[in-house]
Amino acid sequence: MTTPNGGDLLVATLRALGVDTVFGVVSVHNLPLVEAVDRDLRFVPVRHEASAVNAADAYGRARGTLGCALTSTGTGAGNAAGSLIEALSAGTSVLHVTGQIDSAYLGLGRGFIHETKDQLGMLTAVSAYAATVTDPAEAGRILREAAAAALAVPGGPASVEWPIDLQYAPQDPAALDGTLPEAPVLPEPSAAELDAAAALLAGARRPLVWAGGGAARAGAGLSALLDALGAGLLTSNSGRGAVPEDDVRVVGNFASGPTGRALLAEADALLSVGTHFRSNETGDYGLQLPTAHVQIDADPAALGRVYPATHALRGDADTVLAALARRIAERGAATEEGWGEQVRGARDSARAALRDGIGPQAAVLDALTAALPRRAVIARDVTVPSSSWGNRLLPIHDPRDNVFPRGGGIGQGLGMGIGAALAHPERPTVVMAGDGGLAVHLGELLTLAQERPRLTLVVFNDGGYGVLRNMQDRYFDRRSGVDLFTPDFEALAAATGLPYRRIASEEDAGPQIRAAVESDGPTLVEVDLDALGPMKNPFTPPVSVPGRTQ
């Protein structure tokens, strides 16, 4: 029997959290941690630290729990920073444990291998919690605090830097029980606050609800509220699946489009739940909302931050929604006859207009919809098909299946897809990526080939950055930096041992997607967009360009 060290402590903590898979890059400055995880859990050696955090992030999203990433110090921790920004933007629960040089040399600036200036300051800037292990006896407490902070509401990534000598230091077996701090209890609105908000909503004739990522775990309360109020449901991209999207009350992620704007103009009251009202989903905050606005959020800073709130209710979304639903049911809702039909009409017309606008890509949409079971994970990188129809038309029935970079960073989709696929190996996972985004972390094809999850990687190949190309074609006289060299994906798949399929016509989509999804391992499916044909309405990102006509 060897004396337990920091690696054993980490394993005990992760087991207490129900985490069985960890993503990372091995280094001389995290070796005890990697050895213990690889021995007792599952260690997935990704090819880049950013992908380790992306994969851990999506693993946690898909399971509704925590994900864990291990990186090295210095450059390794720096590589992880961009993906920590994504987790911070999304409020997702990631435990990031990074190495650090020997504690005796910390802060001396001697140029010790893998040393960097103020690594903790960097991690603090991109994490919801950051701390340094300075004493072996404190390592367990710090890990538990970090996990609790990551799992708290609104949450976010928690980073722990751990000097290598203190990782090797012996741990007291009594410290390995993995006991975690109790989660902090969110405040609840007062009865008077709930009564006033319920009265406003119950008196509305044409009510709408807007659900964001903060509603992801509030499906029961949200459904009860919709039942009591007779409201329609708009969602942000993050709020998709809080109520399954085959529910006819769900208009979906269409608030900023023509149909959503028209419906909001008709509405006389809005209840928003856990949404940031992001710039890209509100037309840079130009979207007009009803003046009567009840807002629910766990984060006090979010209340009234973007749009004024008539009633601002801080608390757990599910609890507050259930309390409002009970009060509205007791009062009786004043919703006018025909409002539900108008909501359903908006739902149908928004989907029909978008489907028509994507032209031949509708065949790929139909193929994915037909091939995927109800609880498949759909991971999407930032690319034209994802940003246009993947984020709106591919049906989401559970928020844990809705995986995408909420901060808008390109190149994170494959890492996220790998993490989600390993979280639920019994289900198929689909990753939608562009050729430009895939190239950012092309090395993760090797992780895909090595781990062999049940993952279909659909690469939409248009020879560059299609979103920005469309934007430049619309607003400028020339293209800059958007037309890229693209590899031979069939040869690339062969070189990495991945099965390959190609879609070059609408007729190809059904059989090629079906065969890939039904396989028990990874498949790379290339969608040749030049051969398939252009969208009827080219997609441009919803951002303002100063001095240019929209």
Side-chain angles (χ1 to χ4, degrees):
M1 296 278 301
T2 59
T3 302
N5 64 19
D8 301 291
L9 178 62
L10 176 63
V11 166
T13 304
L14 293 175
R15 278 179 167 161
L17 291 160
V19 175
D20 59 13
T21 304
V22 177
F23 306 86
V25 178
V26 66
S27 161
V28 296
H29 283 125
N30 66 14
L31 193 54
L33 309 180
V34 171
E35 286 180 334
V37 168
D38 192 49
R39 180 189 67 229
D40 295 331
L41 304 172
R42 179 178 186 177
F43 179 71
V44 178
V46 297
R47 273 43 177 190
H48 194 279
E49 291 87 355
S51 295
V53 175
N54 287 143
D57 182 341
Y59 172 96
R61 294 190 203 191
R63 289 175 59 135
T65 181
L66 182 87
C68 181
L70 301 180
T71 69
S72 183
T73 187
T75 303
N79 285 344
S83 295
L84 289 170
I85 291 172
E86 163 56 30
L88 186 63
S89 174
T92 48
S93 303
V94 177
L95 176 61
H96 169 230
V97 183
T98 187
Q100 184 52 285
I101 65 172
D102 295 74
S103 57
Y105 302 111
L106 274 174
L108 298 182
R110 291 186 177 186
F112 201 97
I113 185 68
H114 293 180
E115 181 182 10
T116 189
K117 178 183 178 182
D118 192 15
Q119 178 171 285
L120 182 62
M122 175 187 70
L123 295 174
T124 299
V126 296
S127 305
Y129 171 102
T132 306
V133 174
T134 58
D135 184 325
E138 292 295 300
R141 176 188 62 79
I142 289 172
L143 284 177
R144 293 190 290 270
E145 282 186 0
L151 288 165
V153 177
S159 293
V160 175
E161 59 170 12
W162 202 341
I164 184 61
D165 58 316
L166 304 186
Q167 293 176 41
Y168 280 113
Q171 286 288 330
D172 180 354
L176 305 183
D177 62 5
T179 303
L180 300 174
E182 291 188 9
V185 178
L186 286 171
E188 293 186 14
S190 68
E193 289 174 316
L194 290 167
D195 288 342
L200 183 150
L201 294 170
R205 303 284 291 166
R206 298 177 300 281
L208 285 176
V209 178
W210 183 325
R217 300 181 187 181
L222 186 55
S223 292
L225 187 285
L226 293 177
D227 289 339
L229 192 56
L233 180 64
L234 295 165
T235 71
S236 69
N237 203 1
S238 302
R240 298 184 63 201
V243 173
E245 290 188 330
D246 54 359
D247 188 315
V248 295
R249 298 171 298 182
V250 180
V251 179
N253 183 24
F254 288 93
S256 63
T259 303
R261 288 175 181 269
L263 196 64
L264 283 164
E266 287 287 318
D268 59 357
L270 177 71
L271 168 64
S272 66
V273 187
T275 182
H276 286 174
F277 292 115
R278 295 178 186 272
S279 62
N280 61 318
E281 295 177 327
T282 60
D284 286 345
Y285 316 115
L287 186 66
Q288 297 297 307
L289 302 188
T291 302
H293 175 206
V294 176
Q295 185 176 10
I296 301 171
D297 209 289
D299 181 1
L303 295 169
R305 179 169 54 195
V306 179
Y307 289 96
T310 312
H311 298 286
L313 306 177
R314 185 190 177 200
D316 172 73
D318 200 38
T319 302
V320 176
L321 285 166
L324 287 175
R326 288 192 299 270
R327 285 166 166 78
I328 292 168
E330 291 169 359
R331 289 174 173 271
T335 309
E336 71 181 27
E337 186 177 353
W339 179 240
E341 184 177 345
Q342 189 170 342
V343 167
R344 289 191 292 275
R347 165 192 168 87
D348 293 342
S349 64
R351 283 164 167 73
L354 179 53
R355 179 188 169 82
D356 178 65
I358 65 176
Q361 290 187 29
V364 183
L365 163 66
D366 291 344
L368 288 168
T369 303
L372 293 173
R374 186 174 181 86
R375 287 299 313 279
V377 173
I378 301 173
R380 306 178 302 285
D381 203 348
V382 177
T383 187
V384 168
S386 297
S387 299
S388 57
W389 54 266
N391 290 345
R392 293 174 177 83
L393 294 180
L394 271 176
I396 300 291
H397 302 109
D398 188 292
R400 291 168 293 185
D401 304 332
N402 181 32
V403 175
F404 69 99
R406 298 181 190 179
I410 193 171
Q412 302 178 86
L414 180 53
M416 287 183 157
I418 291 171
L422 295 180
H424 290 292
E426 76 284 2
R427 302 179 194 161
T429 292
V430 165
V431 173
M432 295 176 64
D435 57 296
L438 184 65
V440 175
H441 290 301
L442 201 60
E444 300 313 328
L445 286 176
L446 305 178
T447 307
L448 184 62
Q450 179 170 313
E451 301 298 321
R452 307 202 71 77
R454 191 179 174 190
L455 185 152
T456 298
L457 171 59
V458 184
V459 182
F460 293 86
N461 182 9
D462 63 358
Y465 298 136
V467 172
L468 290 165
R469 179 190 291 141
N470 288 347
M471 185 175 175
Q472 290 181 4
D473 287 349
R474 178 174 180 180
Y475 295 117
F476 302 96
D477 297 329
R478 64 189 301 273
R479 295 178 179 175
S480 302
V482 295
D483 297 317
L484 305 176
F485 175 83
T486 298
D488 180 332
F489 283 104
E490 183 173 12
L492 184 62
T496 53
L498 293 170
Y500 169 84
R501 294 182 176 276
R502 178 172 177 262
I503 295 173
S505 69
E506 295 178 64
E507 292 73 27
D508 292 338
Q512 299 293 1
I513 292 291
R514 183 170 59 252
V517 170
E518 289 177 352
S519 69
D520 59 1
T523 302
L524 192 159
V525 179
E526 177 186 3
V527 181
D528 186 334
L529 291 175
D530 284 341
L532 184 64
M535 281 185 168
K536 182 177 178 181
N537 299 323
F539 174 81
T540 55
V543 297
S544 299
V545 179
R548 305 284 174 168
T549 303
Q550 297 295 311

